[in-house]
Amino acid sequence: MGEKVVAGGFDLSDRQAYRRKLRQCLEGLGRLLDERRFDRPKNLMGLEIELNLAGSDGMPRMMNAEVLERIASRDFQTELGMFNLEVNIVPHRLAGRVFDQLAEELRTGLAYAHRKANEVDAGIVMIGILPTLAQRDLVSANLSDVDRYMLLNDRMVAERGEDFVLDIQGVERLTCTSGSITPEAACTSVQLHLQVTPGRFADVWNAAQAIASVQVAVGANAPFLFGRELWRESRPPLFQQATDVRPPELQAQGVRPRTWFGERWVDSAYDLFEENLRYFPPLLPICDEEEPLRVLDDGGIPRLQELVLHNGTVYRWNRPVYGIADGVPHLRVENRVLPAGPTVTDVMANAAFYYGLVRALAEDARPVWRRMPFEAADRNFEAACRYGIDAELEWVRPGRSGGIAKVPAVKLVRDELLPLAAAGLDAWGIEPADRDHYLGVIEERCRRRVNGASWQVDTYHRALEAGLEREAALAATTRRYAELMHQGEPVHTWPVGFPGPS
């Protein structure tokens, strides 16, 4: 949500008043779009990474407040769970050696944060889901002590009216319940921002939706939850179920979940904000004093606070973002698909692949979303989450004959998408050496069929074969992961297993 929210009660009229303000905000957004008031693109990219805190034993540490106090940097902020942090990198121009520059900034910042965390027997672990998290760790008492998280939890629990149910059938099956949204905190991701003009927004968003599955297939890094081996990228089913305010009856009626892939290609950013109002009741009906239409009438730029707040409680995997910088409004596509980690190099490789591919596809004269049904993109996303690097995906056949065919994700990436991503990075003006280095990481993952998830699973099973019990094997896997993560070599080079008994 990103804004300071003060906890408090709401009466019956609050939601109606908030809904009226939301409609005014949506009308204001429409006017801004019609009047072409938005900023011209500066080719700006932004990056946020959610992190875990774990001790030298590999177990989670519920102490983000103490660690943040020691880090004492505005780049690092709290997140939902007490074992979470988030690092935010200031926007950079997408050109030249930006990926190497970002990598150096991240390495420096994370190394400093890790040293500070070590002072209280904690450490930074960049991973999709910490394998050693137990159900007892994800309870409301371990929510970060921040008003907006407490209030959001209270509202979502009240909206659901009963315990949240987790039921994920993967390699193994996990079934349990939770009285709070805290299990959502297990999901730690990378968020990639791209500022776009209104005229380009739909093409970029549609391209991002089309390739979400490919991002997950090559980048999966969350195969475990509560001691069970589930999907290769278990964050999406976990996030959906942990935030699902629909009781079973509403699910049976087809009411949309708040964590949502979407259901159609769009024609403008307005479509997405309008859907948010049409389908999702307000969770936090907090009205700002601003009158957005009057601000527009007076020649100003409205903050559209209600629209922004509501947008932050609809968890799309590619989210539209409205913001203001230096008094000028802008639009961003926020890509929320990727898990954190495994290393800074891997994060930068995932980012380079995304920014290059999304540009190439958005500028294609025969865009993939005109040739592929949205339902195929949705099915692809689930397949990639389930099977990771071994997924098979539906994609348009090359040539004018068209049609859809199933193809292994690794073959699709190596034969078709990596050359497109390279062309997209060239269009951004990325230095060829950086382009080749980071896309080469993606190519090697595909060639070796290795990503963070496959390494975790293989190492875990090696630990079981060595005689370790399940919990000890997960802890050994986590400790070894953290060790290799801080050494920094990309995950496709990591040796499977762990040295010696643990």
Side-chain angles (χ1 to χ4, degrees), residues 5 132 215 228 233 275 327 350 362 394 403 452 456 460 480 499:
V5 172
T132 48
Q215 290 180 272
R228 294 288 181 270
E233 185 55 45
E275 280 184 349
N350 291 339
E394 300 172 52
Q456 287 187 59
Y460 165 72
R480 182 62 171 153

Side-chain angles (χ1 to χ4, degrees), residues 9-28:
F10 303 107
D11 61 34
L12 295 177
S13 64
D14 287 328
R15 184 178 277 189
Q16 292 173 316
Y18 188 79
R19 189 177 286 118
R20 284 194 297 271
K21 283 296 294 287
L22 276 175
R23 288 175 180 148
Q24 291 173 21
C25 287
L26 187 64
E27 183 181 341

